[in-house]
Amino acid sequence: MAKIISLVNQKGGVGKTTTSINLAAALGKEGKKVLLIDFDPQGNASTGLGLNNNDFDNDIYMVITGREEIKKAIIKTKFKNLSVIPATINLAGVDVEFVQRMLEDNTFKPNEQLRIILSEVSEVYDYIIIDCQPSLGILTMNALVASDSVIIPVQCEYFALEGITQLLNSIIRVQNNMNPNLRIGGVLLTMLDGRTNIGLEVIEEVRKCFKTRVFNTIIPRLVRLVEAPSHGKPISDYDPTSRATLAYQNLAKEVISRNGD
């Protein structure tokens, strides 16, 4: 049965999609069978793995709205043990569509649709990674309801913890009402520039707040890591010797350890 992990932070620019791509790829290299779900209408996780709209007929929008079976939307990538369900801008229409369906059918549960469809493939994979959009709307709520755990990327910059309280409240609400098994899998420090004092101060502050929930691995801010998605590759394939490649390998090992694998 797959461990389902959402990457969530309602702030943009915290390294969430970068981590989704590279954690999924690193888990694959550790011998785990991985499905990455691009759950952001921007579709950056899809393009970051070299896909564009001409490469597929079905996407996660078609699946979550019931227009297509999940198995027909899964694409095997050229990267070891890694498959993906892509996203397009169509996904932005889910909120309106689900509201309409609730008005027409009072038994429809808008926040449980992803959980329902993932149950069809959860036995095929070791890990399902969900790259969420930077908001706490209906898509993110679907991801939280479907997940076993949440990884919260926090950038090593000023205002790093801004909005985290709101996110934690949303997680608690899901735990209390829809998914009692949901847990915080870890807080991941990202985009560290070791040349600045502010980065070190943020590390200290985050570890003071979250203690053992903070991963030991810290993701550095590197040009090569930023370049990799434009070449449609995870950092491990774009630059195997990069410090970021080693960091994501270490993160994958921590995730595996924390999940008891």
Side-chain angles (χ1 to χ4, degrees):
M1 187 71 72
K3 308 290 196 310
I4 303 176
I5 303 173
S6 287
L7 278 286
V8 182
N9 193 326
Q10 73 268 35
K11 288 183 67 178
V14 299
K16 180 176 49 56
T17 297
T18 297
T19 293
S20 297
I21 292 171
N22 289 294
L23 172 59
L27 287 168
K29 287 183 180 294
E30 289 294 317
K32 304 300 181 182
K33 194 171 182 183
V34 184
L35 175 63
L36 173 62
I37 297 179
D38 190 346
F39 216 44
D40 184 342
Q42 296 179 81
N44 290 338
S46 305
T47 55
L49 288 174
L51 298 176
N52 60 57
N53 289 3
N54 297 323
D55 295 327
F56 51 85
D57 296 319
N58 299 310
D59 61 3
I60 191 63
Y61 168 78
M62 297 290 287
V63 176
I64 199 170
T65 56
R67 290 175 168 84
E68 192 53 88
E69 296 177 15
I70 186 169
K71 293 177 182 178
K72 293 185 178 179
I74 296 173
I75 299 172
K76 287 187 177 181
T77 73
K78 59 186 177 183
F79 308 111
K80 184 178 179 181
N81 293 324
L82 179 57
S83 297
V84 62
I85 300 180
T88 64
I89 193 62
N90 292 336
L91 191 60
V94 165
D95 296 59
V96 173
E97 188 161 336
F98 278 10
V99 168
Q100 183 62 37
R101 288 178 68 175
M102 280 191 295
L103 294 174
E104 296 170 353
D105 179 2
N106 59 14
T107 66
F108 178 72
K109 298 179 179 179
N111 292 323
E112 296 190 19
Q113 298 309 299
L114 185 62
R115 179 185 61 78
I116 293 168
I117 62 173
L118 289 186
S119 66
E120 299 176 24
V121 296
S122 61
E123 293 186 1
V124 178
Y125 298 95
D126 298 306
Y127 286 89
I128 297 176
I129 306 296
I130 307 172
D131 180 36
C132 297
Q133 65 179 152
S135 81
L136 293 176
I138 198 164
L139 292 175
T140 300
M141 294 303 289
N142 262 269
L144 293 176
V145 171
S147 294
D148 299 304
S149 64
V150 178
I151 291 177
I152 305 172
V154 175
Q155 80 278 36
C156 297
E157 296 178 358
Y158 197 57
F159 291 135
L161 294 177
E162 187 180 54
I164 292 294
T165 299
Q166 185 182 1
L167 172 56
L168 294 177
N169 286 339
S170 294
I171 291 172
I172 291 168
R173 190 163 70 249
V174 170
Q175 288 171 328
N176 290 339
N177 298 300
M178 290 171 279
N179 184 0
N181 298 318
L182 180 66
R183 61 183 178 83
I184 296 177
V187 175
L188 176 66
L189 291 157
T190 65
M191 306 169 72
L192 173 65
D193 185 342
R195 300 168 297 179
T196 65
N197 289 331
I198 186 66
L200 302 177
E201 291 170 7
V202 169
I203 290 171
E204 184 178 350
E205 183 180 8
V206 170
R207 285 186 168 153
K208 190 183 299 180
C209 287
F210 292 99
K211 300 181 174 58
T212 58
R213 286 177 170 173
V214 182
F215 287 105
N216 294 323
T217 302
I218 299 175
I219 307 301
R221 180 189 289 276
L222 294 172
V223 172
R224 300 290 279 175
L225 186 56
V226 175
E227 290 175 348
S230 66
H231 293 266
K233 296 179 179 180
I235 188 63
S236 57
D237 285 74
Y238 181 64
D239 187 352
T241 62
S242 169
R243 286 191 292 124
T245 296
L246 178 60
Y248 278 112
Q249 286 173 344
N250 289 336
L251 176 61
K253 290 173 182 176
E254 279 198 79
V255 168
I256 290 169
S257 176
R258 290 190 180 202
N259 281 278
D261 287 358

